[in-house]
Amino acid sequence: AFSSGMSRQEMIDALEETLITADIGVNVCSKMLEGLKNKPWTKDVGELKGYLKEAISNILKNCQSPLQPLALSHKPFVIMAVGVNGVGKTTTIGKLAAKFKADGKDVLLAAGDTFRAAAIEQIEVWAKRTGCDLIKQSHGGDPAAVAFDAVKAAVARDVDILILDTAGRLHTKTNLMDELKKIKRIINREISDAPHEILLVLDASTGQNALNQARMFNEAVGITGIALTKLDGTAKGGIVVAIADELKIPIRYIGVGETVEDLQDFDAKGFVEALI
Amino acid sequence: SLSDRLNLVFKKLKGHGRLSEANIQEALKDVRMALLEADVNFKVVKDFVEKVKIKAVGKDVLESLTPGQQFIKIVKDELTSILGGEAAGLNLGAKPPAPIMVVGLQGSGKTTTIAKLAKYLKAKGRTPYLVPADVYRPAAILQLRKLAKEINVDAFEDDAFKNPQEICKEALRIAGIKGYDTLLVDTAGRLHIDEPLMSELKQLKEILKPREILFVADAMTGQDAVNTAAGFNAVLDITGVILTKLDGDARGGAALSMTAVTGKPIKFVGIGEKVDAIEPFYPDRLAGRILG
Ligand SMILES: Nc1nc2c(ncn2[C@@H]2O[C@H](COP(=O)(O)OP(=O)(O)OP(=O)(O)O)[C@@H](O)[C@H]2O)c(=O)[nH]1
Ligand SMILES: Nc1nc2c(ncn2[C@@H]2O[C@H](COP(=O)(O)OP(=O)(O)OP(=O)(O)O)[C@@H](O)[C@H]2O)c(=O)[nH]1
Ligand SMILES: [Mg+2]
Ligand SMILES: [Mg+2]
């Protein structure tokens, strides 16, 4: 908490606490506080926070790049959702399907998680809710086969957008990351340039591990966009600052709830205001 | 690693028989840094470092250890004791059925963890009964039922009951009649700041009168872990925590944040996606992992 009687060091310490508790991370935080030293000193907390917001905005502004315009460039535009377990991939796909349909696009979904119990039935509900067809095979099957089927169907049915769900997987599991590479290869073999968007879904309450996730998924299949979910909680999602700084990946969407409308385009300014 | 860094810090202090406030300044900074990098909450780190300082200053360095090793031992011992000293088991009590309520944020691993617990308890000779009380998430009830079949355990299957309160009441009644000795209740993921959903959990607690209320939390949670754990604990008075996805490379500092802020023990850890991937919690192992 800030008070007018604070010394310069106390101010810096309080700002450090604000940054760290937002999950900004130790390295980005010390870089930001170093940057403060080059600014004219002021006792005004608002002004100090203003400097920090400016520094964070400079990192994030290059990552505010919506997906919508891109979706018209290829047909079918193929999106693959990836990420670790439980972050909100399947739910985000449902929300995306609704968004694209509302824009008048024809959307096909694919149940690429053939591993987890009731994963296929879960995305089936979302397909029904949004009025989209769903490509699925039996539980326990090869996800690459589902991807192959889905791409073939997307082309045959002349859809605008295909969104493929994948099973949650920890970035540290080599065999599962290899499986993801295989799925990408299969898609790419059928449609050059596809998948056009590989969307990494991250949970806003994740700490520094989100940076590892982004690095490893990026290294394995190349991430072209990020969706940050569960920002309706008390977590700030500050870890995307380090990810933006290091990997420069566009942040496409934020998830702000569990219903179909709870997906927003990433707005860097709004995000930074809420962050600190 | 932290121990390498600390050994380097203390190398310059060779020949000191005792740890002093002056010579541990640098070491305390390194510990603070390591814990923040490990996602331990800012305030929890502050308190922890203060505790370590008090324990370390004036301490004689044992004959067999270097000052660095002595210091690391103090840090690790303090961390292990906050994490709960030794593995706490489940308190299922005498009169069956023993209801266990599983709660937590969205996607933390509750449904999967219930299946793991059921398999674990079955292997110990108990008769678990799974109760799917998540009526919100698409195919959540089906998910638990499929897992039940996989581990050959019975699950409450009456679709006539539509809300969590009715489901719990009816499942308790059936468990009493059929003689299951343990009830494992799956609840929908929810935010600690969602008042209507948190009060729903309060109602389920009143109906079930559970022997255990287990907060299932993701090991990769960051600074927010103090808020969510404190929130659930304030409303429900949880009896323990289960930390999931420890098979990843998250340092797991959230564990320290949660035990520090709730005073409740971590009872189990999830170490994989399959139904056998659960083990009792060993505080000293997690302490080593957090320190890095
Ligand atoms: N509050 C909140 N909950 C969300 C959000 N996005 C997803 N969820 C919830 O998070 C939980 C997990 O969502 P899923 O879509 O199943 O996540 P997933 O990544 O597909 O999970 P796996 O396939 O098991 O790896 C569900 O309870 C969702 O309703 C969000 O933006 N806010
Ligand atoms: N790698 C790994 N994955 C896990 C572990 N525990 C659960 N999971 C995975 O995490 C994801 C979410 O698990 P669920 O059991 O659906 O989580 P939940 O808390 O019930 O989710 P909601 O009901 O939506 O709140 C699934 O993909 C699980 O397989 C674990 O210990 N390790
Ligand atoms: Mg999913
Ligand atoms: Mg569940």
Side-chain angles (χ1 to χ4, degrees):
Chain A
F2 295 90
S3 70
S4 54
M6 278 175 148
S7 69
R8 178 175 184 145
Q9 189 53 50
E10 283 173 328
M11 281 275 192
I12 296 282
D13 290 349
L15 288 173
E16 181 190 36
E17 178 169 358
T18 302
L19 289 169
I20 294 284
T21 53
D23 282 315
I24 290 274
V26 165
N27 293 334
V28 174
C29 175
S30 57
K31 209 168 87 175
M32 301 252 136
L33 294 179
E34 257 324 288
L36 264 192
K37 296 202 179 127
N38 304 328
K39 297 284 178 192
W41 183 250
T42 167
K43 278 258 171 184
D44 185 325
V45 178
E47 229 173 300
L48 290 172
K49 279 195 180 177
Y51 294 144
L52 294 175
K53 286 180 188 177
E54 189 186 354
I56 296 172
S57 297
N58 285 336
I59 294 174
L60 292 179
K61 65 176 188 247
N62 301 321
C63 292
Q64 183 173 315
S65 156
L67 191 60
Q68 207 53 31
L70 284 177
L72 302 165
S73 60
H74 303 271
K75 193 166 198 257
F77 187 87
V78 181
I79 302 170
M80 193 171 143
V82 304
V84 303
N85 309 70
V87 293
K89 298 176 291 301
T90 307
T91 307
T92 299
I93 288 173
K95 295 171 182 177
L96 276 175
K99 201 184 248 303
F100 293 140
K101 289 219 72 176
D103 291 339
K105 299 269 173 274
D106 188 12
V107 182
L108 179 66
L109 302 182
D113 180 355
T114 55
F115 171 77
R116 206 206 69 215
I120 296 171
E121 289 86 348
Q122 183 187 6
I123 194 171
E124 204 153 23
V125 171
W126 281 105
K128 285 205 177 67
R129 271 182 192 173
T130 56
C132 297
D133 281 347
L134 176 72
I135 300 299
K136 60 173 181 165
Q137 292 175 4
S138 48
H139 180 254
D142 182 359
V146 177
F148 180 79
D149 243 18
V151 171
K152 282 272 181 270
V155 172
R157 300 179 199 190
D158 195 35
V159 299
D160 295 312
I161 302 174
L162 166 65
I163 315 179
L164 173 73
D165 194 8
T166 65
R169 69 202 66 222
L170 294 180
H171 50 292
T172 48
K173 308 214 166 163
T174 325
N175 57 330
L176 296 181
M177 296 306 280
D178 285 345
E179 177 184 84
L180 210 58
K181 288 180 192 171
K182 179 181 173 199
I183 294 171
K184 178 185 179 182
R185 263 201 316 278
I186 298 277
I187 295 172
N188 189 255
R189 217 182 45 199
E190 296 308 308
I191 301 180
S192 62
D193 308 341
H196 306 99
E197 175 82 349
I198 300 186
L199 187 68
L200 175 66
V201 182
L202 294 171
D203 185 326
S205 65
T206 305
Q208 299 308 298
N209 196 249
L211 183 54
N212 287 20
Q213 294 172 25
R215 285 175 181 150
M216 304 281 298
F217 274 92
N218 191 41
E219 191 177 319
V221 292
I223 299 300
T224 59
I226 286 170
L228 185 65
T229 64
K230 309 179 197 173
L231 269 172
D232 47 317
T234 49
K236 305 280 181 159
I239 190 60
V240 293
V241 179
I243 294 173
D245 200 26
E246 180 175 317
L247 302 174
K248 321 264 187 280
I249 298 170
I251 301 165
R252 306 290 196 191
Y253 303 103
I254 59 171
V256 292
E258 302 187 70
T259 77
V260 75
E261 305 117 8
D262 295 323
L263 190 73
Q264 299 170 359
D265 287 344
F266 177 68
D267 163 40
K269 192 165 191 300
F271 182 79
V272 173
E273 280 307 312
L275 193 62
I276 54 168
Chain B
S1 75
L2 178 65
S3 40
D4 294 338
R5 279 212 296 266
L6 290 179
N7 277 321
L8 217 64
V9 166
F10 281 100
K11 243 192 168 73
K12 323 177 212 154
L13 309 171
K14 243 188 194 309
H16 291 244
R18 171 172 283 243
L19 301 174
S20 74
E21 184 149 353
N23 68 26
I24 65 172
Q25 279 299 359
E26 196 61 32
L28 286 172
K29 279 212 189 89
D30 279 344
V31 170
R32 179 174 181 272
M33 197 66 21
L35 293 177
L36 288 177
E37 286 171 345
D39 288 323
V40 182
N41 180 268
F42 190 90
K43 283 210 176 73
V44 173
V45 172
K46 201 166 189 202
D47 293 342
F48 181 82
V49 169
E50 202 49 41
K51 282 208 184 80
V52 167
K53 184 175 171 188
I54 291 170
K55 287 230 159 75
V57 169
K59 189 106 177 157
D60 288 324
V61 179
L62 298 180
E63 282 288 332
S64 52
L65 303 175
T66 66
Q69 288 168 333
Q70 178 68 53
F71 185 79
I72 290 172
K73 181 169 185 332
I74 293 170
V75 174
K76 194 146 189 278
D77 287 351
E78 183 62 23
L79 189 47
T80 306
S81 97
I82 297 179
L83 285 173
E86 44 175 82
L90 290 174
N91 301 321
L92 297 180
K95 183 170 178 294
I100 300 175
M101 226 171 118
V102 173
V103 302
L105 288 141
Q106 292 89 344
S108 63
K110 297 174 292 300
T111 307
T112 311
T113 298
I114 285 185
K116 295 176 182 179
L117 276 175
K119 186 167 201 275
Y120 173 85
L121 290 171
K122 189 175 172 191
K124 298 218 162 206
R126 296 192 71 101
T127 54
Y129 187 53
L130 304 193
V131 184
D134 177 357
V135 303
Y136 308 100
R137 168 174 156 156
I141 294 178
L142 185 63
Q143 183 185 3
L144 190 63
R145 286 185 185 157
K146 285 190 186 255
L147 289 169
K149 290 207 170 52
E150 190 184 329
I151 57 175
N152 204 11
V153 157
D154 292 341
F156 177 76
E157 298 248 349
D158 195 337
D159 283 333
F161 296 86
K162 298 297 183 198
N163 70 48
Q165 293 86 344
E166 292 176 351
I167 291 170
C168 286
K169 283 198 186 98
E170 183 63 10
L172 259 183
R173 194 182 71 81
I174 293 183
I177 294 170
K178 296 206 172 171
Y180 297 108
D181 68 10
T182 318
L183 222 65
L184 284 155
V185 181
D186 189 17
T187 64
R190 68 204 62 209
L191 300 174
H192 55 298
I193 52 173
D194 187 327
E195 293 197 11
L197 283 184
M198 289 309 287
S199 88
E200 173 188 276
L201 282 184
K202 258 222 209 83
Q203 290 175 10
L204 297 186
K205 178 180 178 178
E206 280 163 35
I207 292 167
L208 295 166
K209 306 213 181 348
R211 297 283 314 175
E212 291 275 355
I213 301 179
L214 301 173
F215 180 62
V216 174
D218 197 319
M220 55 183 117
T221 311
Q223 296 287 311
D224 199 47
V226 285
N227 301 325
T228 56
F232 274 78
N233 193 40
V235 171
L236 298 172
D237 190 14
I238 63 178
T239 58
V241 174
I242 299 185
L243 206 61
T244 62
K245 309 176 201 172
L246 264 173
D247 44 317
D249 60 356
R251 294 267 290 277
L256 179 61
S257 303
M258 292 191 283
T259 43
V261 82
T262 62
K264 303 295 166 70
I266 297 171
K267 300 210 170 192
F268 292 95
V269 294
I271 52 168
E273 298 186 64
K274 307 226 168 85
V275 283
D276 52 6
I278 190 169
E279 56 182 36
F281 172 62
Y282 299 107
D284 54 329
R285 277 192 210 167
L286 189 61
R289 176 179 179 139
I290 289 174
L291 291 176

